[in-house]
Amino acid sequence: MIIEPRMRGFICLTAHPTGCEQNVINQIEYVKSKGTIEGPKKVLVIGASTGFGLASRITSAFGSGAATIGVFFEKPPAPGKTASPGWYNTAAFEKQAIKAGLYAKSINGDAFSDEIKQKTLELIKKDLGQVDLVIYSLASPKRTHPKTGVVYSSVLKPIGDSIFSNKTVDFHTGIVSEVSIVPANEEEIENTVAVMGGEDWEMWINELKEAGLLAEGAETVAYSYIGPAVTEPVYRKGTIGRAKDHLESTAFSITNSLKDIGGKAFVSVNKALVTQASSAIPVIPLYISLLYKVMKQKGIHEGCIEQIQRLFSERLYSGNEIPVDPEGRIRIDDWEMRDDVQTEVARLWAEATDESLPLIGDLPGYKRDFLNLFGFDVAGVDYGKDTDEMVEIPGLV
Ligand code: NAD
Ligand code: NA
């Protein structure tokens, strides 16, 4: 069928298999062009189908020749209805991995559940024996707690007494407006920490370790964000920031629990990028459109794959001790947070209106990246061509 983008608010309801495949091929080509990384050999990626998790899987496989198991939650295709993009991304990744002679298997289901954890443990036991790297890259609005059955929902709200107001942009229309958000209550804060904090990450690592599936010296990495002062009320000092604080402190408790096998847990602070999740956060899209413009002008813009390739080659597997900040975090948001970049973005922020944004911000870049997430507007893809939506993932377990 002919597949076109169908937008509803901040999401796109359709995805294009050929566009997703081309995105994955482009990422693989990028990693290969940067040369071999003396990296991990057997990798579990939790949240492996889109964004930073997909980039981590691609870098492990095509940078270090690693066998990979990917866990994710994606919608399969049905006749006349496309799959979600992560499904097509994974199908494309596995196709290329098989061609390159690399082991790649995938599990589609709720990573927060005991069932999917057990299924993953069994697969590792059967096929890989142990893993030496576990990437934890989930982004979810909800989590059902596996022991209590309680369903937690995360919110993106400020914390404190006063209503927060600042500018934001509707990136579809380019209209800049003022948004006001009422602060979260205690229950909403707890819910957000339960979904996006470190509890599930720690459960995964405990269960892998108890089953003897972590290799000597195994490492695990989860992803976080900090960002500038303008986004602090909705991000780092808001509900999601509380969850990231929890995730970051969980790294220390996991490292403690891995002492006997010489293992370590890290949080890597990554750059702000267009993903399905970040597009739904107020204020962030305006910040990203200004940031992209400034970083592109300076020649230091990166997407997920450039970020993760740099994380592996210059931080995790450079051969030197892994550099961390005073809070123990790996920083690959270093270019985003550079003084010259942030000073320029803050200046543009003050100026941003509907009229000025087309000149001072990179809305076209934002829109293209957003469409690219779903396999649309990808260079070299013929969107007029009849396309099979019923794509299978070869190594789905
Ligand atoms: P994403 O939406 O692209 O990826 C999320 C992944 O999690 C997908 O593979 C999805 O299938 C999977 N997933 C979601 N719910 C699941 C469930 N219940 N069970 C199994 N899999 C599930 O998100 P992303 O932007 O790559 O975010 C990954 C991490 O990086 C998050 O911790 C996020 O906070 C962090 N991060 C994002 C940014 C950014 O700007 N996007 C910046 C820094 C850090
Ligand atoms: Na991800």
Side-chain angles (χ1 to χ4, degrees):
M1 60 184 196
I2 304 295
I3 303 167
E4 283 170 346
R6 277 208 0 247
M7 294 294 173
R8 198 184 62 192
F10 293 117
I11 57 164
C12 178
L13 299 172
T14 49
H16 202 285
T18 319
C20 290
E21 179 170 33
Q22 189 59 52
N23 280 335
V24 168
I25 290 171
N26 293 346
Q27 293 193 44
I28 292 171
E29 288 310 317
Y30 175 78
V31 168
K32 291 209 285 197
S33 78
K34 302 299 274 188
T36 306
I37 303 165
E38 288 304 319
K41 288 295 164 221
K42 295 173 182 182
V43 182
L44 169 64
V45 182
I46 303 159
S49 54
T50 57
F52 285 110
L54 173 65
S56 304
R57 190 175 195 186
I58 290 173
T59 304
S60 299
F62 290 91
S64 302
T68 59
I69 291 175
V71 180
F72 46 79
F73 208 0
E74 300 293 344
K75 186 168 62 80
K81 280 192 90 180
T82 65
S84 53
W87 178 277
Y88 293 134
N89 290 341
T90 302
F93 168 82
E94 287 198 5
K95 189 169 149 191
Q96 298 301 321
I98 290 165
K99 252 199 226 168
L102 296 168
Y103 173 98
K105 293 266 169 81
S106 299
I107 292 175
N108 188 26
D110 182 7
F112 296 128
S113 70
D114 283 341
E115 182 203 339
I116 289 298
K117 287 186 178 74
Q118 279 316 311
K119 202 171 168 183
T120 309
L121 265 54
E122 277 157 29
L123 182 62
I124 296 172
K125 199 179 294 172
K126 179 166 85 68
D127 285 1
L128 302 181
Q130 291 185 319
V131 291
D132 53 3
L133 176 66
V134 180
I135 297 286
Y136 188 84
S137 186
L138 293 183
S140 174
K142 267 210 238 133
R143 172 177 173 227
T144 303
H145 196 284
K147 309 300 172 198
T148 63
V150 174
V151 180
Y152 296 99
S153 297
S154 67
V155 299
L156 294 158
K157 291 187 179 180
I159 293 174
D161 298 327
S162 45
I163 293 175
F164 162 75
S165 297
N166 210 328
K167 293 181 195 178
T168 192
V169 68
D170 177 333
F171 61 90
H172 294 300
T173 61
I175 291 171
V176 177
S177 64
E178 191 83 2
V179 45
S180 296
I181 317 169
V182 176
N185 60 37
E186 221 26 73
E187 197 188 332
E188 290 173 315
I189 298 171
E190 279 167 25
N191 265 264
T192 308
V193 172
V195 178
M196 289 298 286
E199 187 187 19
D200 182 63
W201 182 25
E202 193 157 24
M203 283 181 173
W204 268 101
I205 300 302
N206 283 343
E207 292 183 27
L208 286 161
K209 182 170 183 256
E210 276 163 27
L213 301 178
L214 294 180
E216 193 73 27
E219 281 167 0
T220 182
V221 184
Y223 298 136
S224 188
Y225 182 66
I226 296 178
V230 284
T231 64
E232 252 178 13
V234 283
Y235 200 97
R236 194 64 211 209
K237 291 188 175 157
T239 48
I240 181 73
R242 283 291 172 85
K244 291 303 185 190
D245 291 343
H246 186 268
L247 185 80
E248 290 172 15
S249 67
T250 302
F252 295 105
S253 89
I254 294 177
T255 292
N256 239 342
S257 75
L258 297 181
K259 276 219 170 85
D260 55 330
I261 61 162
K264 266 192 172 155
F266 293 96
V267 162
S268 171
V269 182
N270 301 353
K271 176 191 189 227
L273 282 171
V274 177
T275 61
Q276 293 182 64
S278 65
S279 300
I281 311 179
V283 185
I284 299 273
L286 180 58
Y287 168 69
I288 290 182
S289 72
L290 299 173
L291 179 74
Y292 274 27
K293 183 85 169 190
V294 172
M295 292 187 81
K296 285 178 183 176
Q297 271 167 355
K298 290 178 184 286
I300 53 171
H301 177 71
E302 296 175 301
C304 287
I305 197 66
E306 289 86 358
Q307 280 266 291
I308 300 301
Q309 199 282 335
R310 195 157 67 89
L311 170 66
F312 276 50
S313 63
E314 297 183 17
R315 302 287 193 275
L316 294 173
Y317 302 104
S318 71
N320 302 314
E321 200 178 318
I322 298 171
V324 292
D325 72 7
E327 283 75 37
R329 305 171 293 208
I330 299 172
R331 302 297 294 265
I332 51 170
D333 65 338
D334 48 346
W335 298 350
E336 170 182 355
M337 298 311 286
R338 253 167 52 173
D339 278 344
D340 61 323
V341 172
Q342 286 302 326
T343 305
E344 185 63 10
V345 172
R347 192 181 65 76
L348 297 175
W349 184 273
E351 280 179 16
T353 60
D354 304 348
E355 293 74 44
S356 66
L357 194 58
L359 299 170
I360 66 172
D362 184 24
L363 269 185
Y366 194 107
K367 281 189 198 170
R368 190 180 330 104
D369 279 9
F370 185 79
L371 285 168
N372 282 178
L373 296 175
F374 304 90
F376 296 108
D377 206 9
V378 178
V381 175
D382 178 3
Y383 291 99
K385 204 175 149 193
D386 190 37
T387 304
D388 181 11
E389 71 281 12
M390 298 302 292
V391 176
E392 281 178 25
I393 297 175
L396 197 67
V397 175

